[in-house]
Amino acid sequence: GTGSSILSALQDLFWLSKSKVEKQLQIISVLQWVLTFLIMGVACTLILMYILCTDCWAIAALYLAWLVFDWNTPKKGGRRSKWVRNWAIWRYFRDYFPIRLVKTHNLLTTRNYIFGYHPHGIMGLGAFCNFSTEATGVSQKFPGIRPYLATLAGNFRMPILRDYLMSGGICPVNRDSIDYILSNNGSGNAIIIVVGGAAESLNCTPGKNSVTLKNRKGFVKLALRHGADLVPVYSFGENEVYKQVIFEEGSWGRWVQKKFQKHIGFAPCIFHGRGLFSSNTWGLIPYSKPITTVVGEPITIPKIDNPSLREVDFYHNIYVDSLIKLFDKYKSKFGLPETEVLEVN
């Protein structure tokens, strides 16, 4: 009757509103991470300096004293928080794209691992969501394994930002930090290194699957020194979420980017996503394209205290071959044609 029709219409309206609210929460969750990535460190530094010049200077002074006392914590595995890693905001973050983590093999808790994550993308959104939060269930998929996402050491010199990053299990991508985790933290540790780094981010663009890997061998040497197994990881869709202006080699734009990369550690990219209120406008919000991160088969690595160049090259070649095989095996399952080839630079 009429009453049931009205009730049905109200229910439809309710569910429509609920879906809209969830979508807005997803956008907000992604925006807060983008702003964290881009400006949180600088903003917190400026705010702290401002507070030092006000009547509340004692608060800033106490934090700075704590900062000095706590300075080396990032180099010793950080200070992860199970509570932060399980925030509901990360589930909204995951569902916006959506992001998915695919396990292909079991990992032994008696071993340590170095995951090579590819490609970098603009912000490594898949790496963050999968390994610095529990949104995709990394602890359930790999029970007993503690993931540590490695990022620029400079981030840990920024007040507040350093504590926020450590709470997610993020550590500096430097030798001291990695040596400590692999030598003094028992077994069952997995350090995720975005191997291509800033150089790779300069070439990421939708429709392109390329990795900067040929001359990146430091992570292999670290694996050999600690006897940590290497695990290739490929994130399908990581390059699809932002559009970037690509400067050709030899151009002034690429020269500026490489200078920043050399002296500061990151390369400034000119990129855009969608707007905050509309997908038809430009902005900092990434496009909602699916990101599927596939964790490949571990490569058993022997412990060699001082590996030779020949030994490093040998296991590096094995790693490159394993990554290509992983890409070829799963590319058609995640929207790429069988003819697609992974470009290794």
Side-chain angles (χ1 to χ4, degrees):
T2 304
S4 61
S5 298
I6 294 173
L7 180 61
S8 177
L10 288 173
Q11 288 176 335
D12 290 342
L13 181 62
F14 170 76
W15 287 111
L16 179 62
S17 299
K18 182 179 179 181
S19 66
K20 284 185 176 180
V21 169
E22 286 186 346
K23 188 63 178 178
Q24 290 305 312
L25 288 173
Q26 290 169 10
I27 292 173
I28 291 169
S29 70
V30 173
L31 178 61
Q32 70 83 26
W33 171 246
V34 170
L35 294 179
T36 295
F37 183 89
L38 294 176
I39 66 171
M40 182 177 180
V42 174
C44 288
T45 301
L46 293 175
I47 291 171
L48 195 66
M49 292 173 62
Y50 171 76
I51 294 175
L52 279 171
C53 301
T54 69
D55 293 338
C56 298
W57 64 268
I59 297 174
L62 282 172
Y63 179 80
L64 288 174
W66 160 253
L67 191 63
V68 172
F69 174 78
D70 195 54
W71 190 254
N72 288 324
T73 298
K75 298 178 182 179
K76 297 181 179 180
R79 187 170 46 245
R80 74 176 55 220
S81 166
K82 185 177 180 181
W83 175 64
V84 173
R85 287 175 61 89
N86 282 282
W87 277 354
I89 195 172
W90 306 132
R91 295 192 288 276
Y92 288 111
F93 183 99
R94 171 199 66 195
D95 293 340
Y96 171 80
F97 295 93
I99 295 174
R100 180 186 172 203
L101 179 65
V102 175
K103 170 186 174 180
T104 63
H105 291 79
N106 292 324
L107 299 181
L108 299 175
T109 57
T110 55
R111 299 287 292 174
N112 283 323
Y113 301 91
I114 293 180
F115 288 17
Y117 184 92
H118 313 269
H120 183 285
I122 294 292
M123 297 184 187
L125 295 166
F128 169 76
C129 184
N130 285 308
F131 301 113
S132 294
T133 81
E134 294 297 330
T136 56
V138 63
S139 293
Q140 286 72 45
K141 288 183 170 69
F142 300 104
I145 302 297
R146 293 180 298 276
Y148 294 86
L149 177 61
T151 188
L152 287 176
N155 289 325
F156 296 90
R157 302 186 187 102
M158 301 286 189
I160 310 301
L161 175 63
R162 67 188 293 277
D163 302 288
Y164 190 34
L165 294 178
M166 284 194 292
S167 68
I170 301 177
C171 68
V173 62
N174 58 31
R175 181 170 171 175
D176 289 343
S177 177
I178 295 172
D179 281 348
Y180 184 91
I181 293 171
L182 296 179
S183 300
N184 300 286
N185 206 37
S187 60
N189 302 292
I191 298 178
I192 297 89
I193 299 177
V194 185
V195 178
E200 191 172 86
S201 69
L202 298 178
N203 296 313
C204 69
T205 188
K208 185 174 184 179
N209 289 282
S210 66
V211 297
T212 302
L213 183 56
K214 281 184 179 179
N215 297 315
R216 299 295 175 105
K217 301 178 182 180
F219 73 106
V220 178
K221 188 174 183 179
L222 279 170
L224 285 165
R225 289 180 62 246
H226 293 283
D229 294 347
L230 288 170
V231 182
V233 179
Y234 197 85
S235 243
F236 295 90
E238 184 72 63
N239 284 347
E240 307 300 316
V241 297
Y242 279 112
K243 295 178 181 178
Q244 181 183 187
V245 176
I246 304 294
F247 293 101
E248 296 295 329
E249 289 292 339
S251 66
W252 68 269
R254 181 56 64 100
W255 180 85
V256 170
Q257 289 176 322
K258 286 188 173 181
K259 285 296 181 182
F260 266 84
Q261 179 191 335
K262 180 180 179 180
H263 297 292
I264 302 178
F266 74 92
C269 302
I270 300 177
F271 64 92
H272 74 84
R274 52 156 290 178
L276 179 59
F277 302 106
S278 171
S279 59
N280 296 321
T281 58
W282 287 10
L284 292 175
I285 308 294
Y287 294 106
S288 54
K289 304 288 185 179
I291 298 174
T292 305
T293 303
V294 183
V295 180
E297 182 178 3
I299 302 165
T300 303
I301 301 294
K303 189 177 186 303
I304 305 174
D305 291 334
N306 294 296
S308 66
L309 181 59
R310 185 175 180 179
E311 289 167 328
V312 171
D313 287 342
F314 176 77
Y315 285 101
H316 182 268
N317 289 335
I318 292 176
Y319 178 86
V320 173
D321 290 342
S322 296
L323 178 64
I324 293 172
K325 288 177 182 177
L326 179 71
F327 178 84
D328 289 339
K329 182 176 180 180
Y330 289 94
K331 60 187 178 183
S332 61
K333 295 181 181 179
F334 302 119
L336 297 178
E338 283 290 347
T339 54
E340 184 72 17
V341 175
L342 179 61
E343 181 182 328
V344 180
N345 299 312

